Amino acid sequence: MGFRTRQIHAGVTPDPTTGSILTPIYQSTTYVQPSVDEYLSKGYTYSRSGNPTVKALELKLADLEGGIDCACFGTGMSAVLATMLAFLEAGAHAIVSDVAYGGTYRLSTKILSRFGVDYTFADTSNPDDVAASVRENTKLILTETPANPTMKCSDIAAISDIARKVRAVHAVDNTFLTPYYQLPLELGADVSIHSTTKYMDGHNATVGGAVISKSEEHAAAVRFIQNSTGTIMSPQVAWLTLQGCKTLSVRMDAQSASAMAIAEFLEAHPKVEQVAYPGLTSFAQHELSSRQASGFGAMLWFEVKGGVSAGKRLMDNVELWTLAENLGSVESLITHPVTMTHADVEPAERARVGIIDGLVRASVGLEDTDDLIAALAAALEQV
Amino acid sequence: MYFDVNGKQVFATTGGKPFDNGKPAVIFLHGSGLDHTFWGLHSRFFAFRNYAVLVPDLPGHTHSDGPALTSIEAMADWLDDIVVALDARNVSLVAHSQGCLTALEFASRYPERVRTVSFVASGLATPVNKVLLDAAENDPEAAVAMMLGWGFGSAGQLHQGPIPGNSMVAGGRTVMRGNTPTALVTDLKACNAYGNGRQAAAKITCPVQVIVAGKDRMAPAKATAELIEHLNNPVVAVIAQSGHMLPQEAPDQCRSLLKTFIFSNNPAT
Amino acid sequence: MSRFLNFDTLSLHAGQTVDAEHGARATPIYQTTSYVFPDTDTASSIFNLERGGHAYSRITNPTVGVLEQRIAALEDGSAAVCTSSGMAATFCAITAILGQGDHIVASTQMYGGNISLMKNTLPRFGITTTFVDPTDIDGFRTAIQANTKLIYGELIGNPGLDILDLEAIAKIGADHHVPFMVDATFNTPYLCRCFDYGANMTIHSVTKWMGGHGAAIGGVVVDGGNFDWGATDKYPTITEPYAPFSGINLWEEFGPSAFATRIRAEAMRDIGPSMSPMNAFLLLQGIETLSLRMDRHLSNTMALLDYLSNHKQVSWVNHPSLPSHSSHDLARKYLPKGAGSIISFGVEGGREAGKAFIENVELASHLANVGDAKTLIIHPATTTHSRIDAAALSAAGITEDMVRLSVGLEDVADITADFDNGFRAARQLAKQ
């Protein structure tokens, strides 16, 4: 069945007792067992190990990503952490996109490094750089494509080939494009990671994460971490995310179309120095983006002429666009990564990977395109 | 509706549709101290499926004129008077508890009137515990508590019920309290005195069905086994998780069993 | 379980059937609009009231249903219907049996919303009310007219805290074939089960003590199942065929839950003031600790009565637990555990002193609600009743120095320490 059908129906069956068309919110810690001998016969014991509402979302996301199993987490970061804990140990080595989300960078350098995990931050937009970073003990390659906020893309198939040769797990953070536009597992990756906070929820209502695995073995490893560390998703969050998922494709199409129009507007604007959006032919990896994804998403960045001070003036004056940290919601948001999302990344590292000081990140929402462009035009007037 | 039987007013519900004696009849009989509301869901089901439905209140219960009848045999005769008065034809009897004793006696005395009998939660006899008999005479509130306490399984005691917002145990309590002044004790004495079950059962020739409550504390398994043993080829089904008040505790399963049995043996057009 | 379960057990378990598919111990939140029918026969069975079940969440919802059955169990009623607010419950309960040309006899000491409904709104639809002082039993009897179809009151009156003599009023109702409805919000079934004394239905704002945490708005109508609707022809909505349901006669078919069924079949279907499943879940959580909270509300109330009665700056204290209260004997009869946790008292120095007191307490929240877990306080003369003069205030039973207190669950020593600050400010004001 098609994506639009599956985003609505996958994982959800009417409640057998009442017929309730939506999965109930099982806000329950524990489950009554019919007898000692039938322990676990209904599949649930304790909500850290499994919850029927969360399970419905997990089934849906596994279906949409084309995986064998999905494990949901309290946040996108705990999904990344679970992936690292599942496939790494002391003495192991991981290759991470040098342009990964600031939180992933912080988790690697400040936390897991304390437990003896070794990291290389490679330019995953260049598969050769990944191949060159591989060591004997490389167990995990984590790419984020398009990357946050640089929009740099990584060739999922090529990196999966490298991973396969060295028997490392290739995990792809698919938050920006979602399975509607990009299917990392089909392209050869082993694991797909999401911050469901973004497009899956889509309404700025919840924080959550998910890890979708292609093989039983990987799925079991992630599930083990989910249950052992307990970084689980709550039933309320799962229920709201289930509702959000039903309009995922509709929102992605509309927001992406708006993003394209806005990128074109900005590119043509005399006060704009540069724009990065994979849908623009000027985008360096436009060909790769077109090849491995069926859409370009709704994230872009641009630099206003005049650098940081001009960018700040724009962000302080723009109406309709909200200055806030999230992305992927129906509300359009604008962010200054250097002071907000990527402040924890060393300035030298930021410069190296292309997070320039004047970079303004835009998450295009579901408002009328004309209104969004008019608001940017008015703000650019004041720069 | 109200109608006259032997100069006294009898009340019966008809399941939300007028009683039409051109259709096969389903007559529901309630148990000790209860009334027509006990069979609400089931009576409406058959009324809406082209049966003429009747759920009478026994004399002296809720809306029917008293006094309460003092023997099962008298109840069987009274039931026949109703059948004659309304010219009910092709009667399927559906009886619960004490009503089953009346059904045994009626079906053996007036076999020509009956097409099927469904016995729900009953034995061949219903000897009544002396403590309960004393309570019914001297402390009716305690008797109600005992009967509903033993009658409803744990689901009933937890105020569950198939109709959203309705507590079946509280509804039953309200009905029984209304019937305590004389009806309850008279009913229990009649049950206790009835000893003709074995002979009556043997005389019944129409198709019969026995629905057993697995957790019945008022019609114990031994008494039910005797009923099954003495009936001719009964269709037997057990609802394992239900207590004595099976039609209310497990209405969906009970309806399904009654439907299969009555639809095939006494079909409506 | 071979006997009736007790209050605390029922407040935890009643109404819940552990979900069969997963065994979830907590009641699932059925946040859904509608329900898939396995086949058309089941669908029509539900619509014909032949089968319990759910069709659409405006009318019934499994989570709300658990709350309804739990409250019915605690009240010892035969059925309950939850609504979106306490006022919706009152409105639905009244309009289920009354129509144009009908009449209510009601107590004067009631929540302002109830008074406004009967004084301003219902008359627009031809329903009139005679208000009677709750202590005037003969007044209730003489106010009954040929078209009177309801007697209505609050067990613990507002604001005078006079106690309604339930048995006496219920007898008047029974003598005239008029049902007696009690707003039991202030007492909850833990302090008094009104059906034991002849009331025929209760309503609650479950927003208050029942829910207990100020988290959700909700109401409930409970059918006592003990009114003989068929004894007269005055209640055709219950005893005459109801056309929308194939002419069903609710009184014949549903007996003790006929009244609740009428509300379900009519008000919930045609008007639709439904409670949300999320609110029902939060309120169920609240009810789990109802008796624990009420005991603490009452012990804190007694401690504060002691504190206030012995305070030099308190000119008077009003609570039915005090022997000086005119309803003290009725309170002992109907509310033996305690007469609720609302206290009113006067601050020496009148309107300005009362205002200074309120403005200088910090822990007690200054707002108009009652029945929260937190202590709430208000000065009616400068807030809810600020626009009326002294004479009108006095007619409403409100004095200028009056402070109304809804006693919460805090450590009572912290409440009294907070009040010390309020009294200090009132004292300083007097010195100036």
Side-chain angles (χ1 to χ4, degrees), chain C residues 61 177 217:
Chain C
N61 171 280
H177 293 306
I217 300 280

Side-chain angles (χ1 to χ4, degrees), chain B residues 47-260:
Chain B
F48 278 86
R49 279 160 193 73
N50 241 5
Y51 286 89
V53 165
L54 205 66
V55 198
D57 285 347
L58 277 173
H61 292 64
T62 305
H63 299 318
S64 288
D65 286 350
L69 301 172
T70 55
S71 74
I72 297 297
E73 290 81 353
M75 293 176 202
D77 288 340
W78 170 82
L79 177 58
D80 187 58
D81 292 340
I82 288 180
V83 170
V84 170
L86 297 177
D87 192 17
R89 298 168 211 173
N90 296 322
V91 173
S92 279
L93 280 180
V94 179
H96 176 248
S97 195
Q98 171 189 309
C100 291
L101 305 182
T102 308
L104 273 172
E105 200 57 29
F106 177 77
S108 66
R109 288 175 181 218
Y110 308 98
E112 70 284 1
R113 307 238 198 263
V114 187
R115 287 289 295 270
T116 68
V117 186
S118 301
F119 298 93
V120 183
S122 174
L124 201 53
T126 305
V128 180
N129 179 322
K130 186 171 181 310
V131 179
L132 176 58
L133 271 178
D134 286 349
E137 197 126 38
N138 305 311
D139 185 0
E141 183 70 12
V144 170
M146 282 179 217
M147 289 193 65
L148 292 175
W150 292 324
F152 281 103
S154 60
Q157 293 304 339
L158 290 172
H159 292 259
Q160 295 168 11
I163 302 177
N166 288 39
S167 159
M168 51 186 178
V169 76
R173 183 158 52 191
T174 308
V175 168
M176 291 194 82
R177 277 177 183 159
N179 286 329
T180 48
T182 55
L184 178 63
V185 66
T186 311
D187 282 350
L188 294 175
K189 283 180 177 169
C191 285
N192 200 36
Y194 183 65
N196 194 40
R198 182 173 302 198
Q199 295 80 348
K203 281 192 224 162
I204 298 174
T205 51
C206 68
V208 289
Q209 167 183 42
V210 180
I211 301 176
V212 183
K215 295 192 169 174
D216 200 328
R217 299 181 64 178
M218 301 199 73
K222 187 163 165 280
T224 308
E226 281 175 2
L227 174 69
I228 293 165
E229 185 193 332
H230 289 92
L231 286 169
N232 294 311
N233 293 318
V235 177
V236 179
V238 180
I239 299 177
Q241 290 306 309
S242 181
H244 184 66
M245 302 299 198
L246 181 148
Q248 296 208 353
E249 289 178 60
D252 291 355
Q253 292 152 286
C254 181
R255 177 197 308 106
S256 172
L257 293 165
L258 292 174
K259 173 185 163 183
T260 306

Side-chain angles (χ1 to χ4, degrees), chain C residues 368-415:
Chain C
N369 193 21
V370 293
D372 199 303
K374 303 170 186 84
T375 294
L376 313 175
I377 198 159
I378 199 159
H379 183 225
T382 56
T383 55
T384 51
H385 296 70
S386 61
R387 289 194 182 80
I388 55 178
D389 58 25
L393 274 183
S394 140
I398 294 164
T399 53
E400 295 208 321
D401 60 349
M402 176 188 205
V403 170
R404 189 188 71 186
L405 174 62
S406 172
V407 180
L409 306 178
E410 297 92 342
D411 192 304
V412 75
D414 293 334
I415 303 176

Side-chain angles (χ1 to χ4, degrees), chain A residues 80-81 83-85 88 92-97 104-122 133 135 140 142:
Chain A
V80 174
L81 171 68
T83 306
M84 291 184 174
L85 292 176
L88 297 170
H93 172 250
I95 299 169
V96 176
S97 281
T104 304
Y105 181 81
R106 187 171 56 216
L107 176 66
S108 309
T109 56
K110 304 254 169 78
I111 299 177
L112 281 166
S113 59
R114 287 167 39 213
F115 299 93
V117 178
D118 215 2
Y119 287 90
T120 300
F121 295 92
S133 305
R135 298 182 199 163
L140 175 70
L142 177 60

Side-chain angles (χ1 to χ4, degrees), chain A residues 56-255:
Chain A
L57 178 63
E58 291 174 338
L59 290 169
K60 187 188 288 292
L61 297 184
D63 185 285
L64 295 180
E65 281 278 355
I68 196 163
D69 188 36
C70 167
C72 281
F73 295 91
T75 63
M77 279 319 302
S78 39
V80 174
L81 171 68
T83 306
M84 291 184 174
L85 292 176
F87 303 117
L88 297 170
E89 69 274 323
H93 172 250
I95 299 169
V96 176
S97 281
D98 61 6
V99 288
Y101 167 56
T104 304
Y105 181 81
R106 187 171 56 216
L107 176 66
S108 309
T109 56
K110 304 254 169 78
I111 299 177
L112 281 166
S113 59
R114 287 167 39 213
F115 299 93
V117 178
D118 215 2
Y119 287 90
T120 300
F121 295 92
D123 179 1
T124 54
S125 66
N126 176 7
D128 292 343
D129 198 37
V130 176
S133 305
V134 167
R135 298 182 199 163
E136 209 170 76
N137 58 345
T138 301
K139 296 279 181 69
L140 175 70
I141 302 175
L142 177 60
T143 55
E144 187 179 300
T145 180
N148 181 6
T150 60
M151 302 307 293
K152 269 193 200 168
C153 297
S154 301
D155 187 330
I156 295 171
I159 295 171
S160 296
D161 279 344
I162 297 166
R164 199 171 307 114
K165 280 181 196 140
V166 300
R167 299 191 171 188
V169 171
H170 183 204
V172 175
D173 187 328
N174 198 27
T175 299
F176 270 35
L177 288 182
T178 81
Y180 180 53
Y181 284 149
Q182 177 171 277
L183 291 164
L185 304 184
E186 206 170 82
L187 291 163
D190 301 296
V191 167
S192 181
I193 302 173
H194 280 276
S195 167
T196 58
T197 314
K198 311 303 186 302
Y199 295 99
M200 297 296 187
D201 170 321
H203 296 75
N204 270 329
T206 65
V207 291
V211 179
I212 300 102
S213 305
K214 194 160 67 178
S215 76
E216 292 278 11
E217 182 199 347
H218 293 157
V222 175
R223 283 279 182 203
F224 182 76
I225 297 298
Q226 183 195 35
N227 187 36
S228 312
T229 63
T231 53
I232 53 162
M233 177 181 278
S234 90
Q236 301 271 351
V237 168
W239 189 88
L240 286 164
T241 310
L242 277 165
Q243 309 320 314
C245 283
K246 293 176 181 173
T247 56
L248 176 62
S249 71
V250 188
R251 286 182 284 111
M252 288 304 281
D253 281 342
Q255 291 176 231

Side-chain angles (χ1 to χ4, degrees), chain C residues 11 126 199 204 266 274 289 314 340 384 401:
Chain C
S11 68
H204 293 263
E266 181 180 66
S274 330
T289 57
V314 174
T384 51
D401 60 349

